[in-house]
Amino acid sequence: MRTFTNPVIPGFHPDPSVCRVGDDYYLVTSSFEWYPGVPVFHSRDLVNWRRLGHVLDRPSQLPLDGIRPSGGIYAPTIRHRDGVFYVITTLVDGLENLVVTATDPAGPWSEPYLLDLPGAFDPSLFFDDDGSAWVTANRPVGDDGRGEVFLRGLDPATMSLTGPEHVLWTGALRDAVWPEASHLYKVDGRYYLMIAEGGTDLDHAVTVARSDRVTGPYRGNPRNPILTHRDLGRDHPITGTGHADLVRTPDGDWWMVLLAMRPYGGYHYNLGRETFLTPVRWEDGWPLVSRVEPYGPAPALPEHRWPAEPACDHFDAPRLAPCWNHLRTPREPYWSLTERPGHLRLRVRPQTLCERGNPSLVARRQQHRDFAVHAALDFTPGAGECAGLVLVQNDDFHIRYVRTERGLEVVRREGGKEEVTARAAVPGGRILLGIEARGQEYRMRCATAPGEWLPVGDAVDGRLLSSTVAGGFTGAYVGMYAAGGDAGNRNTADFDWFEYVGLAP
């Protein structure tokens, strides 16, 4: 029997939503303050996923200027009808709910259509058999976490809401708080409403209700929640299961994608909320799910592996690879792949990681507990300038491993307070930088020639890269960074290559 390993998309990929078109499956996740927004993936077996790109990849689609950490894009839903893909989501700061469309999920996607859903978030789309279209969304009804799920009609031709509003459900659990992540399905003539409850930490849960009419009334499953790990505690290898979406295979099997976390080094999850897969069975007209396991029998679909993404980026492509992100919307081209061919050039700018701006940062997700990063840097720092590698949770919680006038420095920033934990003298010219993580120990090293690595300081405690310490909903990023000087600064930092490798435990 063929098996698969969870998570199916490791690293910071929360709030997954999935749809099937023929034999193909497409999945999107939240991206919060990172740009481009809403990564989109493609699979043919629900286990092996390739990254197609991003849904929101133009500044006109995604204004993240000044967005707070863990603000920005929440909980997208992807659906398909009549040759058109739809993604609906919320730009939380300002609570703008928007829809974009495309005929190819790899893009280009349309400019956003804004929906009039005051105070709502986590919108979802449902296309009924009779051709009607509907939007569900969630909103608070008090200051204590209570909320409700409601429904409005949608005219896809004008992307405008129609008809009256219908309140569908307030949740199932006795301590029902934060009902969110609503999705509607139609199965054997009945309508099923699936939501998340309890918040996105230990108490996260999936509950479901059903009705004979799309507008309700909805009755909860007496066996709710249909999925939760809340009773397993912090020591379980998978916690916080929830925020799920369902998909049916051509043979009639049902599967669920969902978010969960993998704590390590105590109750810390630097990898953020990741995308998991688990089978769904139906009993007495209700969907049910067992525990989400690290391993399990794979879906009964032909295995379809994709070529592996290269571990090392030599920056010889005309555009940045889809794995690379920027912090908030870039309004100026601070990076170049052409000014020095075969290199990523970062312009040294006054914007820094310590503020809610758009620094000269090109970063990718940490996707393994144990990993190693190496890069080649050519940089001559001026007064107050730096360039090198960074590990980022947010503006006030990150680690900078950078070259300055004083040499190589390791700077640990926690809660907005900084400490230089190590400093090493290095000769001028090209230098090799490395970071190796073993659990929560992040060790820095450097070399002036391949294979001649030397340690720089002691291991840095990486727990500050977990949202359990830093707050928020995102996972850790690692990447290349340059900062310092004033607006007229012309200095640049050149990275010849960047390598990310997951390590065996």
Side-chain angles (χ1 to χ4, degrees):
M1 177 183 294
R2 189 165 56 89
T3 62
F4 76 97
T5 301
N6 264 320
V8 290
I9 306 180
F12 162 57
H13 293 103
D15 310 328
S17 174
V18 65
C19 72
R20 178 173 70 88
V21 183
D23 293 329
D24 296 283
Y25 302 85
Y26 300 96
L27 183 147
V28 294
T29 69
S30 295
S31 50
F32 293 86
E33 70 264 37
W34 291 92
Y35 180 97
V38 189
V40 55
F41 296 87
H42 174 217
S43 177
R44 292 204 172 110
D45 59 10
L46 288 173
V47 171
N48 297 289
W49 295 88
R50 64 167 176 163
R51 193 190 315 263
L52 293 181
H54 294 80
V55 173
L56 305 176
D57 60 1
R58 303 188 299 276
S60 59
Q61 295 173 307
L62 187 56
L64 294 173
D65 311 87
I67 289 290
R68 60 185 168 87
S70 289
I73 291 293
Y74 280 31
T77 295
I78 186 168
R79 295 293 183 257
H80 177 271
R81 187 175 77 167
D82 297 335
V84 178
F85 290 88
Y86 299 78
V87 166
I88 186 170
T89 188
T90 307
L91 180 58
V92 165
D93 297 72
L95 281 178
E96 287 189 335
N97 292 279
L98 58 98
V99 182
V100 291
T101 63
T103 55
D104 182 343
W109 290 78
S110 71
E111 290 297 303
Y113 301 91
L114 299 184
L115 300 178
D116 185 17
L117 294 168
F121 59 98
D122 285 14
S124 182
L125 287 170
F126 172 67
F127 295 106
D128 208 343
D129 301 336
D130 61 4
S132 60
W134 302 88
V135 173
T136 62
N138 322 308
R139 64 188 171 204
V141 295
D143 297 328
D144 56 358
R146 291 177 298 116
E148 62 188 13
V149 179
F150 66 96
L151 178 79
R152 288 287 305 274
L154 177 72
D155 180 356
T158 62
M159 286 298 177
S160 58
L161 298 170
T162 63
E165 179 182 285
H166 305 270
V167 175
L168 302 185
W169 206 29
T170 57
L173 305 182
R174 179 178 301 175
D175 55 345
V177 291
W178 300 298
E180 55 193 15
S182 59
H183 294 302
L184 272 176
Y185 314 90
K186 192 173 187 180
V187 183
D188 297 332
R190 278 177 167 166
Y191 297 90
Y192 290 82
L193 175 65
M194 189 172 71
I195 70 170
E197 297 187 41
T200 61
D201 205 337
L202 282 175
D203 288 337
H204 212 189
V206 178
T207 59
V208 66
R210 72 185 182 194
S211 174
D212 292 327
R213 297 187 302 169
V214 68
T215 55
Y218 282 81
R219 180 174 63 88
N221 182 351
R223 299 173 68 180
N224 275 324
I226 65 169
L227 172 65
T228 187
H229 280 198
R230 59 171 57 185
D231 56 317
L232 301 181
R234 295 187 174 195
D235 295 331
H236 195 268
I238 299 173
T239 65
T241 55
H243 204 118
D245 199 3
L246 298 177
V247 66
R248 192 177 190 178
T249 70
D251 290 339
D253 294 332
W254 287 84
W255 289 83
M256 174 185 284
V257 296
L258 67 147
L259 71 76
M261 296 88 77
R262 293 182 291 165
Y264 62 96
Y267 190 63
H268 304 286
Y269 36 88
N270 302 27
L271 301 173
R273 293 153 174 85
E274 307 173 277
T275 291
F276 288 70
L277 178 71
T278 195
V280 178
R281 67 187 189 277
W282 289 78
E283 293 183 8
D284 301 322
W286 293 103
L288 293 173
V289 183
S290 301
R291 303 294 189 196
V292 179
E293 302 292 346
Y295 308 95
L301 296 167
E303 184 178 21
H304 190 102
R305 295 180 179 269
W306 305 101
E309 293 184 354
C312 188
D313 193 334
H314 292 277
F315 304 118
D316 50 10
R319 299 178 62 184
L320 285 172
C323 66
W324 296 112
N325 286 175
H326 311 277
L327 190 54
R328 305 181 183 89
T329 304
R331 296 295 182 177
E332 56 181 308
Y334 62 75
W335 72 97
S336 173
L337 295 168
T338 59
E339 290 181 7
R340 186 177 178 183
H343 292 73
L344 171 66
R345 170 164 287 182
L346 294 183
R347 186 153 57 87
V348 179
R349 300 156 64 229
Q351 291 89 339
T352 75
L353 264 179
C354 305
E355 55 194 287
R356 294 185 184 179
N358 170 236
S360 293
L361 170 68
V362 174
R364 54 155 295 159
R365 292 161 173 82
Q366 177 184 336
Q367 293 186 276
H368 302 79
R369 193 190 88 155
D370 304 316
F371 73 96
V373 162
H374 301 97
L377 171 65
D378 189 353
F379 174 60
T380 302
E385 298 175 351
C386 69
L389 301 179
V390 289
L391 297 149
V392 183
Q393 170 56 230
N394 61 41
D395 311 341
D396 283 335
F397 292 81
H398 59 253
I399 300 165
R400 305 194 302 271
Y401 178 36
V402 291
R403 185 171 199 163
T404 72
E405 280 190 305
R406 296 173 294 276
L408 275 179
E409 293 186 345
V410 180
V411 183
R412 186 179 187 272
R413 181 176 174 88
E414 181 172 0
K417 297 180 180 180
E418 296 193 350
E419 175 190 8
V420 178
T421 65
R423 181 176 290 131
V426 289
R430 175 184 164 107
I431 190 172
L432 305 180
L433 303 177
I435 301 173
E436 181 174 310
R438 292 289 184 179
Q440 296 293 357
E441 290 189 351
Y442 291 71
R443 295 186 181 275
M444 318 302 166
R445 55 189 184 181
C446 69
T448 55
E452 298 180 1
W453 294 99
L454 297 172
V456 178
D458 297 326
V460 179
D461 187 341
R463 290 173 175 84
L464 67 92
L465 301 175
S466 170
S467 58
T468 54
V469 174
F473 306 112
T474 62
Y477 273 72
V478 57
M480 297 155 286
Y481 171 68
D486 54 34
N489 194 344
R490 295 182 177 273
N491 199 8
T492 57
D494 291 337
F495 293 85
D496 189 1
W497 48 265
F498 179 103
E499 178 186 61
Y500 175 99
V501 179
L503 302 176

